[in-house]
Amino acid sequence: MIQAQLAADALSRRYPEHEFVLAPLTTHGDRHPSMRLSDSPREGVFVKELEQALLDRRAELAVHSAKDLPTLATRGLVLAAFLPRGDARDALITRVPATLSELAPGSRIGTGSPRRAAQIAAFRPDLQTVEIRGNVDTRLRRLAEGMVDGLILAVAGLERLGRLGEAHELLPLDVMLPAPGQGALVLQTVEGSQAGRLAAAIDDAPTRRAVEAERTLLRRLGGGCLSALGAHALADGDTLALQAVVLDASGHTVIRAGARGPDDAGVVSDVASRLEAQGAARLLKRPGASLAGLRIMVTRADRQATTLVDALTALGAQAIRCPVIAIEPIAVDPALVQDLGRYDWLVLTSANGVDRLRELLREANRDLPAHIKVAAIGPETAARAQEAGITPGLVPSRFIAEELAETLAAAMAPGARILLPRAAGSRDVLPDRLRARGARVDVLETYRAVPPADVRPRLAACLPGVDMITFTSSSTVRHFAEAMPGPLADRITIACIGPITAQTARDLGLRVDIIAQEYTTRGLVDAIVRSQTPIPA
């Protein structure tokens, strides 16, 4: 909350004519204080709910600690501004005043960070690290109670809380390199929004330059915000200096690299290459955080596949594009587009549907009437709508038609007129349920998913050597099944974005191994990562 207030204060100083109101939210990481962060199946446990609030338009700006951001950007959202960076170092607070070098052998050091734990082990292998979670007050209370003998906390956080005076040592960078982005606050907004334009005016260019270099290195190495990787960049005039360390969990193996120069991309590439040459990929391949070595087929339509391909590639997988569907537009009477004013709600159920609607509006030289409320089935569809200048006001908590129908039924007025543009052959559960609740629903088929002309030879060429196949819709499953050159090898894993897609696959005789718990691209990647995590003995 203090960090959010710092952001609000910075905006208020720049724009005294505006009011910036804090809207607290509780994140997954906050709700599960006993969860070990290193065991989390996904990054961004302190970020995701804030991002969803932006996509849902419940908030206009989100304030994050840059070190908590997932490695991959969320579609439709941008990092609009970085505040001037605080001290990026870590601090040691002990029960009996001492430096890290002076602590007695066997002393217990509390931290929830694999990066900190590994660097402590590398510097003082005779110390014990203890998993500890909670805010600063909670951790300091555990220290006072004797649960641990010392704590490692971020200097910037202590400083913002007015508690830096309690630190016994500010750890030098040659002992403890910080997490990428540590000490920096970032303001995230919807892409193209007024809030983003306002925030851009307070962006601190040197901080952005340094943090983006650290995050680029993280992506290049395939690590995440929970990796045992430390990095620190400093932008000084035209020169960027970057140093980094990668360790194994025990701290026994430590590799370091650094570079400086005027070309940021060149500096990052130089450091990454030196780390990779020393075996960084092997050290960063943690259970649950790497897909290195997996060959994963992406069957989504070409223009929709990039987000999934990038996410898999960032985790070390070899993503093989093999689209089994293509989007074919269906002609729509222009008079229907001109007559949109009679509807109360527009319901969007896919990113492809958003793209096609945008084409129809452009062809008719028509904007969406301002009074129409918009519902989207999930965050990816909502983000695509936002890109098209259409702001969804409703997104259900579970991203399926049944949940959308219930959520919209509770929000709409009796007898509401609803337009549902969608793909030909879609399930009728959504319009049927809305009609049962008194809505007047017009279904408008605007496109169909068809197999590409070369789908059979492409599948025959792509399938050999594939370890996993991903399906993101029932149509991808159907067209894949129709074009399969022969039975799938038993070793091939099938991953589906949700239960509807999975049921279609089963109905067509395919064995489903992985089903995403959150029915989004990110949820599918999370599920694939979890599937690679060994079950403890």
Side-chain angles (χ1 to χ4, degrees):
M1 290 299 294
I2 288 174
Q3 293 182 160
Q5 189 62 58
L6 289 172
D9 291 345
L11 288 164
S12 295
R13 286 192 296 271
R14 178 64 178 80
Y15 301 103
E17 70 276 19
H18 289 299
E19 183 180 9
F20 297 91
V21 180
L22 300 189
L25 289 176
T26 303
T27 67
H28 181 85
D30 299 319
R31 291 194 303 272
H32 298 84
S34 62
M35 176 189 67
R36 298 179 70 242
L37 294 184
S38 56
D39 288 344
S40 173
R42 67 179 184 205
E43 298 181 273
V45 294
F46 296 108
V47 170
K48 181 184 168 188
E49 284 83 354
L50 277 69
E51 291 187 328
Q52 188 61 51
L54 293 176
L55 294 171
D56 293 349
R57 308 301 286 182
R58 290 180 284 124
E60 294 167 300
L61 297 114
V63 181
H64 306 292
S65 295
K67 69 181 180 64
D68 291 336
L69 289 170
T71 315
L72 292 171
T74 298
R75 188 179 183 87
L77 301 179
V78 295
L79 304 182
F82 287 84
L83 299 187
R85 193 174 199 169
D87 192 325
R89 291 177 293 175
D90 286 306
L92 172 69
I93 302 178
T94 57
R95 215 155 37 93
V96 177
T99 66
L100 193 60
S101 297
E102 296 168 345
L103 282 168
S107 295
R108 296 159 298 167
I109 308 299
T111 177
S113 161
R115 170 191 60 84
R116 288 170 175 155
Q119 289 186 90
I120 290 169
F123 185 72
R124 286 286 308 271
D126 58 325
L127 301 180
Q128 301 178 47
T129 54
V130 177
E131 180 80 17
I132 192 167
R133 287 285 316 281
N135 61 29
V136 170
D137 287 336
T138 299
R139 297 188 194 201
L140 289 173
R141 186 169 62 253
R142 301 283 173 79
L143 175 66
E145 292 169 350
M147 175 181 173
V148 292
D149 301 301
L151 293 172
I152 305 292
L153 297 169
V155 169
L158 289 169
E159 195 166 30
R160 289 164 187 152
L161 291 166
R163 305 192 68 164
L164 186 56
E166 299 177 44
H168 295 101
E169 183 181 15
L170 305 188
L171 299 173
L173 295 179
D174 60 350
V175 171
M176 183 74 68
L177 271 178
Q182 184 163 312
L185 298 181
V186 60
L187 278 66
Q188 187 181 39
T189 66
V190 172
E191 188 173 9
S193 66
Q194 180 193 18
R197 292 189 290 272
L198 294 176
I202 64 168
D203 184 48
D204 185 71
T207 297
R208 175 181 288 275
R209 186 179 172 199
V211 173
E212 287 188 342
E214 294 163 11
R215 286 173 52 75
T216 300
L217 176 69
L218 193 63
R219 284 193 297 272
R220 162 74 182 267
L221 294 175
C225 65
L226 302 177
S227 298
L229 179 151
H232 183 254
L234 182 64
D236 183 13
D238 292 335
T239 300
L240 180 80
L242 173 64
Q243 53 183 316
V245 63
V246 178
L247 310 93
D248 68 351
S250 69
H252 292 159
T253 304
V254 182
I255 58 177
R256 297 181 183 273
R260 62 186 298 118
D263 176 11
D264 293 9
V267 168
V268 172
S269 180
D270 188 5
V271 172
S273 296
R274 294 183 189 186
L275 292 172
E276 288 169 338
Q278 298 176 72
R282 174 178 52 82
L283 298 185
L284 290 172
K285 186 178 179 182
R286 300 185 301 108
S290 175
L291 301 176
L294 283 181
R295 289 169 50 86
I296 303 178
M297 179 185 288
V298 176
T299 58
R300 207 168 200 173
D302 253 338
R303 63 179 176 178
Q304 301 294 332
T306 300
T307 300
L308 180 54
V309 167
D310 288 350
L312 295 171
T313 302
L315 289 168
Q318 181 181 349
I320 301 168
R321 290 177 183 257
C322 189
V324 299
I325 63 170
I327 304 305
E328 181 180 272
I330 295 175
V332 172
D333 185 349
L336 295 175
V337 182
Q338 292 294 342
D339 198 24
L340 292 177
R342 63 198 179 102
Y343 294 103
D344 304 299
W345 283 89
L346 171 69
V347 178
L348 304 170
T349 57
S350 71
N352 287 319
V354 173
D355 291 343
R356 179 61 180 135
L357 178 64
R358 178 163 49 179
E359 292 174 1
L360 292 169
L361 290 171
R362 188 183 302 120
E363 291 168 1
N365 194 27
R366 180 84 159 92
D367 292 326
L368 191 69
H371 74 274
I372 294 182
K373 298 175 184 177
V374 181
I377 196 166
E380 293 179 2
T381 303
R384 184 61 62 86
Q386 192 67 48
E387 291 173 10
I390 300 170
T391 302
L394 184 150
V395 179
S397 57
R398 295 173 63 242
F399 314 135
I400 55 175
E402 289 83 350
E403 188 76 14
L404 177 56
E406 290 303 307
T407 305
L408 180 52
M412 70 186 187
R417 290 296 303 267
I418 297 175
L419 177 64
L420 174 57
R422 66 177 195 179
S426 298
R427 294 191 306 146
D428 286 329
V429 62
L430 179 56
D432 286 351
R433 292 197 178 192
L434 289 172
R435 288 170 183 145
R437 299 292 290 270
R440 292 174 290 171
V441 183
D442 288 341
V443 173
L444 180 63
E445 294 185 341
T446 60
Y447 71 98
R448 59 175 59 89
V450 299
D454 62 346
V455 63
R456 290 181 183 276
R458 287 190 70 169
L459 270 180
C462 291
L463 276 172
V466 162
D467 302 301
M468 184 181 297
I469 302 169
T470 61
F471 294 114
T472 54
S473 67
S474 291
S475 56
T476 57
V477 178
R478 285 192 291 268
H479 292 310
F480 175 89
E482 291 169 1
M484 276 197 311
L488 289 181
D490 288 340
R491 64 174 180 78
I492 295 178
T493 300
I494 292 179
C496 294
I497 201 167
I500 305 302
T501 303
Q503 188 57 53
T504 302
R506 294 190 188 102
D507 291 345
L508 292 171
L510 299 177
R511 184 195 72 242
V512 176
D513 304 287
I514 299 168
I515 305 174
Q517 295 177 16
E518 176 189 288
Y519 316 142
T520 64
T521 298
R522 178 180 292 179
L524 179 57
V525 174
D526 284 348
I528 292 171
V529 167
R530 282 193 299 272
S531 76
Q532 302 303 303
T533 304
I535 299 174

